[in-house]
Amino acid sequence: MELWMLLLLHLHLGNAPWIGVVCVSLPEPSNVSISSFNMEHTLSFLPGHETPSDTHFTVQILCPRKKKNMWKPVAACSELTAGQTCNLTQTFKDPFDHYRARVQAFTSTQTSGWTESGWFQPLSDTVLGLPDVSVSGCGNCLVLQLRVPSMKRFQQLRDLYRGLIFDVQRTWDGAQFRLSLPYKEEHMIAYLQPGVEYCVNISVTSLFNNSPVSSKPYCAFTSPPPSRSSLYVVFSLLGAFCVLGFLLIGLVLHGGQLSFESLRQHLARTLVTNPTVCTGTLSFSCSSSS
């Protein structure tokens, strides 16, 4: 009986050679992609499902303009482990060229198939980060100074910047406006309210990528706001002037009332001590009655 089962198993394996291939092949890597920030290019991937823990990965790139359909190994990424990425900044030497990458899993006895990324062009697919920004007040304006981050390899990174978008918001009431200006390392935003805080969000557009990246808010006062002690002095003076004004008004009203009362009393005394009788026909004459 056991001999019969062994014979059937042998015939089955002989008629299905693909079973042997599946048994010795590793799962292919997945999610192979290339990302880029400030012309720094990074390839990332995920191990296939149920990939053994001792598996390594190797990377190759394709550049059709150099050698047609010739894949070139990346020496620095020949034995990656799960979770590692591959830096392709030095490998993608021509920023105008198009590249593709692929990843393969392997062990000492097994290999997987290759998984390819999409096409990648350094200039159009990189994301330009924002320059370093400082904001200061200048009375009724703000001065913004921008500095492009230094790059070891791509020294002319500032040449990729095309324009700047400033979203300016006044802090106390939320009033806002937008300015679109060509890229310069210093800009002045004028005609602002003195002594008031404004916040500026900055976005940058590049020559080859029109998707702007927005910054965090940078806030500053156009001119130094009045200190609390100054405000206290101002309000104290206003209060003193108000009290003084009320006192003066009261004195004037009271003095007028006293003058009117004195005049009334004087007239009354005069009428009592010196009464007159007035008669007349065509003309009036007054005589004293004894």
Side-chain angles (χ1 to χ4, degrees), residues 180-220:
S180 295
L181 301 171
Y183 181 82
K184 289 194 307 182
E185 293 190 346
E186 183 173 306
H187 278 285
M188 184 179 71
I189 303 176
Y191 305 110
L192 302 179
Q193 185 176 348
V196 173
E197 185 183 45
Y198 288 83
C199 292
V200 184
N201 287 79
I202 302 172
S203 303
V204 174
T205 57
S206 69
L207 290 173
F208 299 92
N209 192 335
N210 290 324
S211 299
V213 178
S214 182
S215 73
K216 64 178 183 179
Y218 293 93
C219 302

Side-chain angles (χ1 to χ4, degrees), residues 50-152:
E50 295 184 351
T51 298
S53 59
D54 62 340
T55 303
H56 289 76
F57 303 87
T58 186
V59 178
Q60 294 181 352
I61 65 164
L62 174 68
C63 181
R65 289 180 58 183
K66 305 298 181 183
K67 293 183 180 179
K68 189 175 182 179
N69 296 328
M70 290 290 294
W71 288 91
K72 177 184 176 182
V74 181
C77 305
S78 60
E79 292 189 16
L80 300 175
T81 57
Q84 286 188 311
T85 58
C86 176
N87 191 324
L88 297 174
T89 305
Q90 299 295 331
T91 307
F92 295 163
K93 296 182 179 180
D94 188 347
F96 296 94
D97 216 336
H98 290 77
Y99 298 91
R100 201 166 192 170
R102 66 180 184 179
V103 183
Q104 182 188 53
F106 69 94
T107 63
S108 58
T109 58
Q110 298 173 304
T111 59
S112 74
W114 293 92
T115 303
E116 298 182 4
S117 70
W119 288 104
F120 175 83
Q121 186 190 35
L123 277 181
S124 61
D125 292 329
T126 195
V127 175
L128 287 180
L130 292 163
D132 297 327
V133 180
S134 64
V135 182
S136 59
C138 53
N140 65 341
C141 57
L142 291 176
V143 175
L144 291 90
Q145 293 181 331
L146 298 88
R147 185 171 61 86
V148 177
S150 60
M151 300 290 296
K152 294 180 181 178

Side-chain angles (χ1 to χ4, degrees), residues 245-261:
F246 284 126
L247 288 175
L248 289 174
I249 293 173
L251 289 174
V252 170
L253 292 176
H254 184 65
Q257 186 176 4
L258 290 176
S259 299
F260 178 77
E261 184 66 20

Side-chain angles (χ1 to χ4, degrees), residues 225-244:
S227 63
R228 291 190 175 183
S229 58
S230 300
L231 290 175
Y232 178 76
V233 171
V234 170
F235 286 126
S236 299
L237 291 175
L238 287 175
F241 280 122
C242 290
V243 172
L244 183 60

